[in-house]
Amino acid sequence: MPIPPLRDDGLQIDEDRGFQERFWRLQRIAWLVFGAICILAILGLTGSGGPLRGTSLRLDGAQVDLPRISRWEAADEISITFTAPAGPPTLRIGPEFFDKFSVERIQPEPQATSLTAAGQVLTFPAQGPGPYRVTMDIRAFHFGLADFDIAAGADSRRARILILP
């Protein structure tokens, strides 16, 4: 094994300075990428909480609060507040929702459930003036983009939830 030459600073080290500087540059870029991922997670864009975690849909007589991003096999919640329903509060969820999610619990339980070509229609018991709040505990069993219709009364909106692995 040959003896490395003596450097100007008095050290006798065999090194490739160009390689070392490229490695340091790549390391700093990786720090920035991992820092950005941590900031996105804190903001809620990985589906675990934070100010950007959820979104709201305003329907005629109702507001639906649902997650933007959910995690595969993790519990999540959809909250529906019926503000001024004409008659018993009804909620229709498109069939595409049930391709990606299972509903673990609905509180309060619906008084009636019916199936239509446009999805499941849930009718809830209500007495007195609103607002009424319904909570659905859901769990994603497939990852990908869940794109479905949700309706309260006659007003319908398209909802999207990204399901991360």
Side-chain angles (χ1 to χ4, degrees), residues 44-79:
L45 294 179
T46 58
S48 60
L52 300 178
R53 179 190 176 279
T55 186
S56 292
L57 299 175
R58 299 220 184 267
L59 300 167
D60 186 28
Q63 177 178 327
V64 180
D65 297 320
L66 62 151
R68 287 178 209 259
I69 298 174
S70 185
R71 299 300 296 234
W72 177 43
E73 293 291 327
D76 237 320
E77 181 179 286
I78 295 178
S79 174

Side-chain angles (χ1 to χ4, degrees), residues 18-132:
F19 171 78
Q20 186 65 43
E21 288 178 0
R22 287 190 304 273
F23 183 78
W24 286 336
R25 191 175 309 119
L26 180 65
Q27 187 178 29
R28 286 186 187 100
I29 291 169
W31 289 347
L32 292 174
V33 169
F34 290 132
I37 290 171
C38 288
I39 289 171
L40 291 175
I42 289 169
L43 291 175
L45 294 179
T46 58
S48 60
L52 300 178
R53 179 190 176 279
T55 186
S56 292
L57 299 175
R58 299 220 184 267
L59 300 167
D60 186 28
Q63 177 178 327
V64 180
D65 297 320
L66 62 151
R68 287 178 209 259
I69 298 174
S70 185
R71 299 300 296 234
W72 177 43
E73 293 291 327
D76 237 320
E77 181 179 286
I78 295 178
S79 174
I80 305 100
T81 304
F82 295 98
T83 53
T90 60
L91 178 71
R92 181 180 52 80
I93 302 173
E96 302 90 0
F97 176 82
F98 299 100
D99 293 339
K100 299 274 185 179
F101 292 97
S102 66
V103 178
E104 295 184 338
R105 183 178 75 109
I106 302 174
Q107 186 62 35
E109 290 187 16
Q111 183 177 24
T113 303
S114 60
L115 294 174
T116 66
Q120 280 192 12
V121 179
L122 309 170
T123 305
F124 297 95
Q127 295 178 352
Y132 310 109

